């Protein structure tokens, strides 16, 4: 294999071997703690323009298949692993991760001490990094001068609306970086889904007469998606609303709360969250570098419904005025765990209750 180097903006350099696509790659370096699910992670649009360090030491051992992707192509800028599987094997496998990475123009590096690298990111926080084939005296200075994109949602959102038809209630889903597993979770409940681009206006959404509104996950700083706030404010007044991940943050902002950038975020499939108003504890799939500032909830109509067990960050909100709520984690959770899958059912029950209330008012 060809030598490749991972260069961090703090000056650290990790040597390894190249796989996947050739060439230089730059992005925000983050780590994921999932033991499985590398295909879902790499294709999750919430990782747009990020370089993913996998903490699990062996990646690629069950290959890649056509069914488990969250989008058509990799969203990550690059992947960093301790060891890439040389002899992957699984009955569902159609191609190896190394072959797929090369085909999909995804750069990778293997042979890295990912334990040391993850500890560095935990201590110093997520930071810019580059994958290069050669390190020059000015490489670190060059990297520090690189500007990371701030329009990730516009890069990944659908360009025009489309329908995923079914026989149940109609859900208008605003796409900030939609995962396929959200569509699958709604399809399993026979929801008729109409998907809209991130910059849609409220009037256009309401033209399809939806029974409920969903705000999807997505990448980047929620402040860069502030154009969606007026739409959310208008929609929550007339339809039940449910936000996931970035959608949770935008829901919070639309109701007067603020967000902040976390030191290294939550990324993986093993994050425990606790319900505030029940003894329920769930292990969840998460992928976010920003969180809602709990102090900013004072004076709003929002209350906390879930907290992260380890650091106490806000993982769920609901409105005391509108039939609207949100969660920071991913109840669609692919590849798992599925502890929080019933939150989709909570949303459908909220829609049914809202219909009953409106029907009673018209009698």
């Amino acid at each position: 294999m060809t030598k490749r180097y991972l260069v961090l903006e703090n000056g650290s350099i990790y040597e390894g071997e190249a796989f996947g696509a050739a060439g230089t790659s730059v992005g925000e370096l983050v780590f994921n703690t999932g033991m499985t699910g590398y295909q879902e992670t790499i294709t999750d649009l919430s990782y747009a323009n990020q370089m993913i360090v996998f903490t699990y030491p062996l990646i690629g051992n069950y290959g890649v298949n056509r069914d488990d992707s969250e989008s058509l192509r990799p969203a990550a800028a690059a992947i960093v692993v301790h060891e890439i599987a040389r002899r992957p094997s699984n009955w569902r496998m159609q191609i190896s991760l190394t072959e797929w990475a090369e085909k999909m123009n995804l750069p990778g590096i293997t042979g890295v001490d990912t334990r040391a690298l993850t500890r560095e990111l935990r201590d110093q926080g997520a930071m810019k990094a580059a994958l290069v084939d050669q390190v020059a005296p000015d490489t670190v200075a060059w990297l520090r001068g690189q500007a990371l994109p701030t329009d990730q949602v516009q890069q990944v959102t659908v360009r025009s609306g489309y329908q995923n038809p079914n026989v149940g209630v109609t859900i208008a889903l605003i796409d900030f970086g939609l995962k396929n597993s959200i569509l699958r979770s709604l399809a399993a409940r026979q929801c008729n889904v109409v998907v809209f681009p991130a910059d849609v206006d409220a009037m256009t959404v309401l033209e399809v007469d939806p029974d409920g509104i969903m705000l999807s996950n997505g990448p980047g700083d929620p402040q860069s998606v502030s154009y969606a706030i007026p739409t959310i404010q208008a929609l929550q007044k007339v339809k039940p609303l449910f936000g996931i991940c970035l959608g949770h943050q935008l829901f919070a902002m639309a109701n007067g709360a603020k967000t902040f950038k976390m030191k290294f975020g939550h990324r993986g499939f093993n994050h425990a969250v606790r319900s505030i108003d029940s003894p329920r504890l769930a292990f969840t799939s998460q992928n976010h570098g920003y969180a809602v500032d709990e102090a900013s909830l004072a004076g709003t109509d929002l209350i906390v419904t879930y907290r992260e067990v380890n650091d106490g960050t806000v993982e769920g909100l609901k409105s005391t005025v509108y039939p609207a709520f949100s969660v920071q984690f991913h109840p669609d959770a692919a590849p798992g765990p599925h502890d929080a899958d019933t939150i989709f059912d909570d949303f459908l029950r909220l829609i049914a209750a809202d219909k009953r209330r409106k029907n009673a008012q018209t009698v």
Side-chain angles (χ1 to χ4, degrees):
M1 284 187 173
T2 305
K3 288 291 183 185
R4 183 169 278 175
Y5 302 89
L6 175 67
V7 181
L8 279 59
E9 64 176 314
N10 66 356
S12 295
I13 299 175
Y14 291 81
E15 180 181 313
E17 296 178 330
F19 69 90
T24 298
S25 177
V26 176
E28 182 185 35
L29 189 66
V30 300
F31 63 87
N32 179 286
T33 58
M35 295 177 65
T36 61
Y38 53 81
Q39 181 178 342
E40 291 91 336
T41 297
I42 295 167
T43 56
D44 180 351
L45 294 176
S46 296
Y47 282 104
N49 302 124
Q50 291 181 322
M51 305 172 74
I52 305 171
V53 179
F54 288 98
T55 62
Y56 191 71
L58 177 64
I59 297 297
N61 55 309
Y62 53 85
V64 174
N65 65 73
R66 68 180 182 181
D67 298 323
D68 291 343
S69 290
E70 293 290 0
S71 60
L72 289 175
R73 301 187 57 82
I79 55 175
V80 181
V81 305
H82 173 67
E83 181 182 355
I84 193 76
R86 292 175 296 169
R87 297 181 180 89
S89 178
N90 185 272
W91 67 275
R92 299 174 68 232
M93 186 184 91
Q94 294 171 305
I95 190 172
S96 72
L97 178 57
T98 52
E99 293 170 325
W100 182 76
E102 185 173 354
K103 181 179 179 180
M104 291 293 175
N105 200 35
L106 174 67
I109 182 172
T110 184
V112 172
D113 185 349
T114 51
R115 294 175 299 178
L117 177 56
T118 300
R119 185 166 185 172
E120 189 166 1
L121 292 175
R122 284 182 61 89
D123 290 344
Q124 301 187 35
M127 65 184 84
K128 281 190 293 187
L131 276 187
V132 297
D133 293 330
Q134 292 183 329
V135 178
D138 64 345
T139 298
V140 174
W142 165 81
L143 173 60
R144 290 171 178 164
Q146 296 297 303
L148 297 181
T150 58
D151 62 342
Q152 296 98 315
V153 168
Q154 285 302 315
Q155 292 178 27
V156 301
T157 186
V158 66
R159 295 304 167 203
S160 59
Y162 65 91
Q163 187 175 13
N164 194 29
N166 216 311
V167 297
V169 298
T170 296
I171 305 297
L173 204 168
I174 302 180
D175 174 18
F176 300 108
L178 175 63
K179 292 170 63 178
N180 285 339
S181 53
I182 293 178
L183 291 176
R184 288 194 290 266
S185 294
L186 293 172
R189 292 162 174 82
Q190 298 185 308
C191 295
N192 174 44
V193 181
V194 185
V195 180
F196 293 93
D199 57 0
V200 68
D201 60 86
M203 184 177 296
T204 301
V205 173
L206 294 175
E207 284 176 353
V208 303
D209 192 25
D211 298 296
I213 310 294
M214 279 194 66
L215 312 175
S216 86
N217 63 291
D221 185 348
Q223 294 291 337
S224 67
V225 201
S226 57
Y227 53 81
I229 298 302
T231 299
I232 297 170
Q233 289 172 332
L235 291 174
Q236 69 180 0
K237 295 177 182 178
V238 293
K239 298 289 181 178
L241 183 143
F242 170 35
I244 294 175
C245 197
L246 179 60
H248 157 81
Q249 297 161 11
L250 294 173
F251 169 64
M253 290 168 56
N255 286 277
K258 296 179 181 178
T259 60
F260 67 95
K261 184 173 176 58
M262 306 171 75
K263 187 175 182 180
F264 49 80
H266 298 160
R267 297 176 179 89
F269 309 111
N270 47 10
H271 289 268
V273 300
R274 187 181 299 280
S275 172
I276 300 302
D277 53 7
S278 77
R280 182 177 179 182
L281 182 73
F283 284 92
T284 65
S285 169
Q286 295 193 25
N287 173 17
H288 62 105
Y290 291 81
V292 174
D293 179 2
E294 186 164 0
S296 73
L297 298 177
T300 73
D301 296 314
L302 299 176
I303 58 174
V304 177
T305 56
Y306 290 94
R307 278 199 183 89
E308 217 270 1
V309 167
N310 293 309
D311 61 15
T313 49
V314 174
E315 289 287 336
L317 294 168
K318 70 177 179 181
S319 171
T320 58
V321 176
Y322 307 117
F325 72 103
S326 64
V327 293
Q328 180 65 76
F329 50 90
H330 290 263
D332 51 285
H338 302 289
D339 296 17
D341 181 68
T342 56
I343 289 178
F344 287 100
D345 300 314
D346 294 339
F347 180 45
L348 295 185
R349 281 191 288 268
L350 185 66
I351 290 174
D354 185 68
K355 283 186 172 183
R356 290 193 297 270
R357 179 181 61 82
K358 290 177 178 176
N359 288 337
Q361 290 175 346
T362 60
V363 174

